[in-house]
Every structure is written in structure tokens, then in C-alpha cells.
Amino acid sequence: MTPDTPENPQQGTPDEAKVEQEAAEAKAAAADEAEAQPEAKPKRTRAKKAEPEAEGQAAEETGVDKTAAEATEAKPKRSRIPKEERNPEGTVPEGTTDDAAVAAVEGDVKEAAARQPRKRDRRRTPEPGVLVRAQAKYVRTSARKARLVCDHIRGKDVVEARAILAFTPRAAAKPWLKLLESAVANAEHNHELVGDDLRIAAVHADEGPTLKRYRPRAMGRATRIRKRTSHLTITLTPKES
């Protein structure tokens, strides 16, 4: 199909003058719309480009370069004193600059520290007749078995009692050793005594409540099992008393 032979023969060939006139009208309408739209604002240019010129003019007027001016204006850095050297014990008053005064204060502090006894030496002398007691209750061993062990350490000092309990081949020796260490800790903390200077004044094992259990036996019977407990007690006193 061509313009000379259109699909609809009644229409015939298009008029070329009419087509050109329509195209000219479309161009004129587009130009009118473009004129009616507001003009875009021009982009602002940054003022950084003028900085080098201003710097150059200032350098020519003053005769001093920018880097040299910054070097002269820079403040001197302050040297920091290590923390260990800055009044470590807090005894030198702030603002004290005289070396003689600082040395005098430090000397007084050292003398006071030398006169003050150590913590171990500051413990007061034991009072005569002082007793330190520790108790372990509901220990899962019978009182008879516990007494077989405590008879070995009665009247011994703490060091010897530790050695005896450490090498006693009985199960009840372990609760007795733990109880002895507890009594020594009580004496050191509560009474300010030295643990190695103590001896065992009294030690005994009392019967505790018995737990009842049962086991099956022949012919449908049941036999009672008694799980016995005991209360252990140790009393310490200074060797001198």
C-alpha cells in the first residue's frame, strides 16, 4: 500500500501544502511554550577559587608567607609529666615548686610509714583465756567414726593437727580438716590472732539426727537403714594460755 494507492480509495492522496502548514503551526506552538517557561537561575560559583589570589596578594603586601606565619603563631607544646612522678602518694601540696619543701614532705611521709607496723605486727596480743570456736553440723558420718579421728588432734597445735589430718586414712578426716581451717580463719579475722600460734583446746563430736531408710529383704520383709549424722566442734586458744 502506497500514498498513491491508499487503503480507502475515496480519500485519495493527501495534500502536501496542508501537511507543511500543520508542521509550521506545531513549531510555533512549541516556541511559544518555551518562551512562557521561566528562565533557569544560573548556578552559583564557589569562592574558593579566589582564595589563592587573595593569599598571594596578602603575602605580597606583608612580605610574609602563610606557612611561616602559621609556624610563628603556633603555641609551644607543653611537656607532660608521667603520672607516676606527679605526687604519687598525694602528700605534696599542689603548687609546691620548692625542691627542698617537696623533699621534706616526702621524708616525713617515709618516716611515718616506717614507724607504722605491718598489718601482721599490728595484731593485738592475745588475751588470756580467749577461745575461738567453730562448728560443723549435720555432717554425714557417724559420731563414733568422727571421734576416732578427733582423738588424734586433741591438745595439738594447729600446724601439727593439719599434718595429722592430712595423712589420716579415714573419710572423717576431711570434714575435720575443713573445720580446723574455718576455726583458724575465725581467729584471724574476728580476734586478730596468728593462726600458727594457736592450739586445739577442745574437740568433740556429738550425735545428730538419724535418717531412716528401708531396703527389701527375703519373704517380703523390709529392713531399716540408719544413716547417721554428727555435729563436729573445735575450740582453739593461744599457745601461751
Side-chain angles (χ1 to χ4, degrees), residues 25-212:
E25 291 178 358
K27 289 182 181 180
D32 294 341
E33 290 180 0
E35 291 178 358
Q37 292 181 357
E39 297 180 359
K41 296 182 180 180
K43 294 184 179 180
R44 296 182 180 179
T45 57
R46 296 184 180 180
K48 287 186 177 180
K49 297 181 179 180
E51 290 182 359
E53 298 178 359
E55 292 177 1
Q57 293 177 1
E60 292 178 359
E61 293 177 0
T62 58
V64 180
D65 192 6
K66 181 182 178 182
T67 56
E70 291 179 353
T72 55
E73 293 178 0
K75 296 182 180 179
K77 293 184 179 180
R78 291 161 46 179
S79 59
R80 291 190 176 183
I81 302 173
K83 189 176 181 180
E84 294 77 7
E85 300 179 3
R86 291 183 295 170
N87 193 13
E89 298 180 356
T91 55
V92 181
E94 295 183 359
T96 303
T97 56
D98 190 3
D99 296 340
V102 173
V105 174
E106 291 179 354
D108 295 341
V109 172
K110 290 180 180 179
E111 290 179 3
R115 287 195 303 268
Q116 187 177 8
R118 295 179 302 172
K119 185 176 181 180
R120 189 181 183 88
D121 300 336
R122 286 201 306 269
R123 292 178 179 175
R124 61 190 179 190
T125 55
E127 299 177 1
V130 64
L131 298 175
V132 183
R133 182 168 165 267
Q135 189 175 22
K137 304 187 74 175
Y138 306 103
V139 178
R140 280 290 290 113
T141 184
S142 65
R144 179 179 178 275
K145 294 177 182 178
R147 291 183 190 120
L148 293 176
V149 177
C150 73
D151 291 340
H152 294 294
I153 61 174
R154 186 177 289 109
K156 307 292 184 182
D157 59 8
V158 171
V159 178
E160 188 176 359
R162 282 198 189 109
I164 292 173
L165 294 175
F167 293 97
T168 299
R170 285 187 174 273
K174 187 175 181 180
W176 279 117
L177 183 58
K178 291 177 66 176
L179 184 61
L180 177 62
E181 297 297 341
S182 177
V184 171
N186 292 343
E188 292 178 348
H189 184 269
N190 299 335
H191 300 277
E192 298 182 359
L193 300 175
V194 180
D196 295 342
D197 297 340
L198 302 174
R199 65 178 180 86
I200 299 176
V203 56
H204 57 273
D206 301 325
E207 292 185 1
T210 302
L211 306 177
K212 276 80 173 180

Side-chain angles (χ1 to χ4, degrees), residues 227-239:
K227 294 181 179 292
R228 302 186 184 274
T229 61
S230 59
H231 304 316
L232 312 182
T233 306
I234 287 181
T235 304
L236 301 179
T237 187
K239 292 180 180 179

